[in-house]
Amino acid sequence: MARRQAVQLGKRRLELSNLDKVLFPDDGIVKAELIDYYHRLAPIILRHIKGRPLSLVRFPDGIYGETFFQKNRPDWAPDWVESCQISDLKYMIAAEDAALVFLANLACIELHPFQSRLPHVEAPDYMIFDLDPPEGFDFSRTRDLARGLREHLQNHGYHPFIKTTGGKGLHVLCPLLPRHSYDDVFDAAKHLADLFLKKEKQATLQIKKEKRNGRVLIDVYRNRLGQTIIGPYSVRGRTGAPVSAPLLWEDLDSLTSPVEFNLRNLPERVSTKGDPWEAFAAFAVDLHTTARPGKGAGGELPVYRAKRNLEKSGEPAPDVPVSTSGLEFVLHRHHASRLHYDLRLEMDGALRSWALPRGLPPRPSVKRLAVQTEEHPLKYLEFQGTIPAGHYGAGQMWIFARGKFEILKQKKDGFYLRLSSPALSAEYRMIELNNKEWLIDRLDAPARDYLLNPPSPMLADATDVVPVGERFLYELKWDGIRAIFTLEEGQIRIFSRNGHEITESFPELLRPDDLRATTAVLDGEIVVLDDLGRPVFEKVIKRMRKSSAAKEKAVCYFFDLLYLDGRSVINDPLELRREWLADLLRDRQTMRLSEVLDDGQALFAAVKSSGLEGIVAKDRSSRYTPGERSASWLKVKVSRDCTLAVLGYTPGEGEREETFASLVVGEWTEGKYRYRGRVGSGFTQRSLTDIRSRLDTLTAKKAWFSHPDLKKVTWLKEGLFADIHYSSLTTDGLLRAPVFHRLRPDFSREECRLEREE
Ligand code: MN
């Protein structure tokens, strides 16, 4: 590896040095790996630490060498590394991925951010309880203590979050609205801890170790200006390179060690499970010790009122009092005569509103128009439903995201803002062009850009019996090619389940005008139908090979939506995703909706009698888990199927005298073929003749295996593969009631298996 290397990150050019410097000798982790970690996780780390002054711990000679705190910005740091002056120190701030890489290159293993962030560095935006157990304290007791503290804090109106510290302990953080001083936050934290200690005898507020008597320190003294804690996702300078890992509370149950997550295993977890703290700021509240702000009545809003007949439209009247934090926002998806989104920000007791005809921009450097509309009453934060025909804005209105926002910077021609909500957490810039016309621009990169980097599809578990219950909805299991569609700027791209682009194989499916969206990622199955409307697998497979001769037109049945107009929707419940999916499929000739039914057993019976493959039962409230097999989707097939190698045949008699009686099939497993049975039914006259014509050239002398079944077998060389249906396996592993389905010229021995992947 090169000792020095220049890299370009966006508009920044950095010189990296000593890349092969060993930082963690026991783990063989070199500096290049630390840099790579901070670069990969930058979008998520920045979400949490951007704008926060940083205390940094540097380990220039590795974790066993000399270490020191770096608080002051070095003179030689590049100009673009931001900083913030607090008394006599000029703290560095990481505002972009290049800054994290710059710091990692200085062997800053540990990032310790302030509890407050710009533009209000005097006002913390969370309260921190640092649970510090004594040496040898059982971790399960620390977990119990954290759960107890959570309940205590919830009872006072907070919404606590948990993370590991990367050491022995745990951090419990309560998001706050950033309008309370450090002194007030400290007093509130101390007060809460005092109350908690009355019922919890294993904890103490004693800073002095000798006075703790084996109890866990609840360190509330970090709630002071200049005090820091290890940042979310920061690596620790300790053996094993543990990371301070944000968790969901339910993750705590299965966490056996406080250092389970480290530099090597955390990125994978984050890329499949996402950031459990994504919506952190959306749960911010005021201190329980301060009076809540008064109710906003929003004034008269004459323009709003003049446009509407509020008795009939169902929308809220301007004078309804609403209790809010003062920093609320809502984003509506509004399917009026034209689809658009409405961004509404709470300002001066009303909702300042902009209509976004093309949704939110998905990433930096994409700008979208935002047309300022009349102010709406605060009560509109909660409004969704249908505005009846004939009224202003008639059509369906959904709450697409709702949470808190913050103005980060006021400019002459607009402002910077951060939206924090369970559905969407991102930073934007609003630029005023002229009379009512604005542009909105995204400032931070999304943690994962589904449009550029489409995820693998979610997979279903197999089950034998149709699951029954209110929570399920049922749809056909389409027998075709699973496909992820992306739509951006009027361009559709199609990806197979393995992530291969197959756009060019299906020109007839590139119909962006059929979709009512600007950006979207959809999940569906491409099929070619027979005259009765049944999917024919062989025909769609043929289309994968040659795109030109498209005599048989393909259609796509869509059943899920992963991304829509500026945000990922994988965490929304299936039923809501399907509502938006149905709303965006405009013309359904080619781009179709896979319909769902409530009665699974009736659907299964219908599928059985019409010769279709099976059904899928899906939990209505389930989230979409890319690339994972999930029990919230259950496939039930009419019969099981597999693809096996044809390795011999037995001679036919009577009607089959000219062809054969059965095919001997085997599965490739552990480096050899295993006997799986003889298949004698399911053939048509045509398939009998076709297969017979191939057998002579494949004849072999050698037997693949021996079995009492196999007396008069003519053995074959490897070369034929077939899909076979069967009901179950016998105790000695043979197929019960096997039925030939079709040859699979596209298969090889490694792909032989009893459950065909789909
Ligand atoms: Mn609207």
Side-chain angles (χ1 to χ4, degrees):
M1 192 174 293
R3 280 179 58 82
R4 300 187 77 81
Q5 194 182 323
V7 293
Q8 187 78 33
L9 288 169
K11 48 190 173 174
R12 313 298 184 205
R13 191 173 172 79
L14 284 94
E15 183 88 5
L16 305 180
S17 58
N18 294 325
L19 288 171
D20 48 5
K21 176 93 205 164
V22 177
L23 296 180
F24 299 82
D26 308 302
D27 307 284
I29 296 173
V30 297
K31 199 165 81 179
E33 217 175 325
L34 181 77
I35 293 173
D36 182 57
Y37 172 87
Y38 278 116
H39 182 232
R40 275 178 73 182
L41 262 63
I44 290 172
I45 295 178
L46 290 170
R47 177 188 292 156
H48 298 294
I49 72 164
K50 189 172 166 182
R52 298 184 192 277
L54 293 172
S55 281
L56 304 156
V57 190
R58 290 181 62 186
F59 298 76
D61 292 311
I63 61 170
Y64 297 133
E66 198 180 322
T67 75
F68 56 94
F69 262 96
Q70 172 116 33
K71 296 194 175 181
N72 225 350
R73 183 185 191 280
D75 295 338
W76 40 265
D79 295 343
W80 49 263
V81 173
E82 292 179 19
S83 61
C84 166
Q85 186 82 39
I86 296 174
S87 55
D88 54 343
L89 287 169
K90 204 173 187 186
Y91 288 90
M92 283 188 277
I93 287 175
E96 54 184 307
D97 59 352
L100 285 174
V101 169
F102 168 76
L103 294 173
N105 186 52
L106 298 183
C108 290
I109 295 176
E110 299 194 356
L111 312 173
H112 295 247
F114 273 43
Q115 337 295 6
S116 55
R117 71 202 304 181
L118 296 175
H120 31 63
V121 84
E122 305 294 329
D125 60 355
Y126 56 80
M127 187 192 296
I128 159 74
F129 298 87
D130 177 5
L131 306 191
D132 186 5
E135 210 61 57
F137 195 82
D138 183 359
F139 183 59
S140 70
R141 289 164 67 198
T142 312
R143 290 190 317 200
D144 289 344
L145 198 68
R147 289 195 196 96
L149 180 61
R150 176 198 192 193
E151 201 187 314
H152 175 69
L153 295 169
Q154 282 175 329
N155 289 339
H156 286 83
Y158 296 97
H159 188 104
F161 284 71
I162 181 121
K163 70 180 176 73
T164 64
T165 61
K168 306 186 297 287
L170 292 167
H171 282 158
V172 175
L173 279 73
C174 300
L176 292 178
L177 292 164
R179 54 188 180 195
H180 305 278
S181 69
Y182 269 98
D183 284 348
D184 288 347
V185 172
F186 172 77
D187 289 345
K190 174 83 168 42
H191 174 66
L192 287 162
D194 283 335
L195 286 176
F196 183 61
L197 291 186
K198 291 202 169 135
K199 49 192 178 181
E200 181 49 77
K201 300 299 174 205
Q202 295 195 56
T204 176
L205 291 179
Q206 277 296 344
I207 285 290
K208 290 202 172 111
K209 276 205 169 141
E210 60 276 16
K211 292 199 173 167
R212 290 187 209 162
N213 298 326
R215 289 170 296 174
V216 176
L217 168 67
I218 299 186
D219 186 350
V220 293
Y221 306 96
R222 307 295 181 112
N223 294 293
R224 292 279 197 202
L225 181 67
Q227 291 289 316
T228 59
I229 56 166
I230 189 77
Y233 301 104
S234 172
V235 181
R236 302 305 302 263
R238 301 176 184 184
T239 304
V243 166
S244 175
L247 303 173
L248 297 173
W249 282 95
E250 51 264 38
D251 295 336
L252 202 56
D253 304 336
S254 57
L255 187 74
T256 50
S257 154
V259 291
E260 190 169 317
F261 298 110
N262 56 53
L263 169 149
R264 286 193 168 139
N265 65 15
L266 196 76
E268 176 60 29
R269 176 184 160 88
V270 172
S271 87
T272 55
K273 298 199 147 190
D275 171 17
W277 279 25
E278 177 166 358
F280 187 87
F283 293 97
V285 294
D286 281 305
L287 288 177
H288 71 288
T289 46
T290 60
R292 310 273 166 185
K295 293 173 178 182
E300 254 314 284
L301 304 180
V303 184
Y304 173 83
R305 200 182 267 284
K307 288 187 170 189
R308 289 167 174 82
N309 178 347
L310 294 173
E311 281 69 49
K312 300 214 169 109
S313 79
E315 295 164 277
D319 41 14
V320 186
V322 189
S323 172
T324 72
S325 66
L327 299 168
E328 306 287 318
F329 89 90
V330 66
L331 178 68
H332 282 113
R333 175 180 171 91
H334 186 183
H335 187 168
S337 53
R338 261 170 182 277
L339 173 81
H340 62 274
Y341 291 78
D342 291 298
L343 176 63
R344 311 182 197 281
L345 307 177
E346 178 176 11
M347 290 177 175
D348 306 324
L351 297 175
R352 243 174 124 185
S353 298
W354 289 263
L356 281 52
R358 306 181 71 221
L360 287 169
R363 70 181 76 86
S365 84
V366 180
K367 291 187 173 61
R368 297 265 193 257
L369 184 67
V371 181
Q372 197 169 352
T373 59
E374 74 277 13
E375 289 195 326
H376 280 51
L378 290 181
K379 190 75 183 162
Y380 225 92
L381 287 166
E382 300 159 9
F383 178 75
Q384 59 180 345
T386 309
I387 299 174
H391 288 263
Y392 179 72
Q396 184 77 24
M397 179 109 66
W398 288 270
I399 291 178
F400 194 62
R402 186 183 166 189
K404 307 257 184 343
F405 80 100
E406 196 181 328
I407 302 285
L408 302 173
K409 218 184 272 182
Q410 283 285 355
K411 291 277 200 177
K412 239 193 332 216
D413 61 345
F415 55 93
Y416 290 40
L417 82 161
R418 181 189 297 124
L419 302 182
S420 301
S421 72
L424 173 73
S425 290
E427 294 180 10
Y428 301 92
R429 178 170 53 174
M430 298 284 288
I431 310 155
E432 186 168 18
L433 298 177
N434 53 46
N435 184 31
K436 311 251 179 227
E437 290 218 337
W438 296 60
L439 286 178
I440 181 165
D441 194 4
R442 183 160 174 162
L443 296 172
D444 59 333
R448 169 134 194 202
D449 197 326
Y450 282 127
L451 295 161
L452 300 181
N453 186 8
S456 324
M458 173 168 171
L459 303 174
D461 264 348
T463 178
D464 292 330
V465 192
V466 177
V468 180
E470 295 265 299
R471 68 191 183 98
F472 289 109
L473 41 82
Y474 305 88
E475 62 182 307
L476 286 183
K477 185 176 181 312
W478 297 99
D479 196 13
I481 294 165
R482 185 73 179 275
I484 296 285
F485 281 59
T486 65
L487 166 72
E488 182 165 11
E489 304 298 333
Q491 281 245 318
I492 286 179
R493 297 174 73 194
I494 313 175
F495 298 86
S496 74
R497 54 172 270 156
N498 305 322
H500 296 301
E501 181 158 7
I502 53 173
T503 310
E504 288 183 359
S505 296
F506 298 100
E508 72 269 44
L509 299 179
L510 308 180
R511 299 172 65 96
D513 293 343
D514 289 1
L515 306 178
R516 195 181 281 110
T518 302
T519 54
V521 178
L522 300 93
D523 185 3
E525 189 104 353
I526 300 173
V527 295
V528 175
L529 302 173
D530 68 11
D531 298 341
L532 296 172
R534 292 177 305 200
V536 184
F537 187 71
E538 288 79 356
K539 290 187 174 171
V540 76
I541 277 286
K542 247 185 228 161
R543 288 293 311 282
M544 286 282 277
R545 294 204 209 98
K546 32 182 199 250
S547 66
S548 49
K551 251 200 329 202
E552 319 264 12
K553 291 272 180 240
V555 299
C556 188
Y557 282 93
F558 292 104
F559 40 75
D560 219 318
L561 182 67
L562 285 68
Y563 185 94
L564 180 61
D565 290 337
R567 78 168 179 93
S568 153
V569 298
I570 63 170
N571 290 322
D572 292 271
L574 172 65
E575 258 185 329
L576 190 53
R577 298 199 304 272
R578 283 195 54 104
E579 265 187 49
W580 291 329
L581 174 65
D583 186 58
L584 76 81
L585 293 173
R586 189 202 307 261
D587 181 313
R588 300 187 183 172
Q589 298 284 318
T590 309
M591 313 291 256
R592 302 181 181 188
L593 179 67
S594 173
E595 299 288 348
V596 291
L597 292 175
D598 290 325
D599 187 341
Q601 280 156 326
L603 181 64
F604 192 68
V607 158
K608 228 171 173 170
S609 66
S610 52
L612 295 169
E613 199 188 359
I615 67 169
V616 187
K618 295 180 178 173
D619 188 325
R620 298 168 188 276
S621 62
S622 59
R623 59 186 291 265
Y624 192 96
T625 53
E628 280 184 42
R629 204 170 283 286
S630 159
S632 25
W633 286 17
L634 295 165
K635 59 181 172 190
V636 197
K637 290 203 263 180
V638 171
S639 63
R640 301 191 202 188
D641 51 20
C642 57
T643 309
L644 297 175
V646 179
L647 299 168
Y649 66 96
T650 56
E653 42 190 65
E655 272 187 356
R656 304 266 279 264
E657 194 171 357
E658 301 293 312
T659 53
F660 56 88
S662 68
L663 299 177
V664 176
V665 293
E667 181 193 14
W668 182 259
T669 170
E670 290 162 6
K672 58 176 197 290
Y673 276 112
R674 171 173 176 182
Y675 179 50
R676 287 296 186 188
R678 287 187 299 142
V679 187
S681 66
F683 302 101
T684 59
Q685 196 51 51
R686 204 165 136 200
S687 61
L688 284 168
T689 325
D690 173 39
I691 295 168
R692 176 64 253 195
S693 71
R694 299 166 188 249
L695 297 179
D696 288 336
T697 57
L698 289 170
T699 310
K701 294 237 161 55
K702 186 185 97 183
W704 287 96
F705 23 68
S706 67
H707 190 275
D709 274 6
L710 306 171
K711 293 271 156 55
K712 291 184 276 178
V713 172
T714 305
W715 293 101
L716 299 173
K717 284 185 283 199
E718 187 183 51
L720 279 185
F721 295 87
D723 282 350
I724 294 152
H725 295 316
Y726 64 103
S727 62
S728 56
L729 287 181
T730 64
T731 44
D732 49 350
L734 301 190
L735 307 180
R736 186 173 277 136
V739 178
F740 173 83
H741 185 206
R742 58 200 167 196
L743 287 179
R744 285 304 292 269
D746 54 329
F747 262 60
S748 63
R749 59 157 66 153
E750 285 76 20
E751 293 169 285
C752 285
R753 59 180 66 93
L754 285 181
E755 238 339 277
R756 180 162 62 86
E757 291 290 319
E758 48 239 295

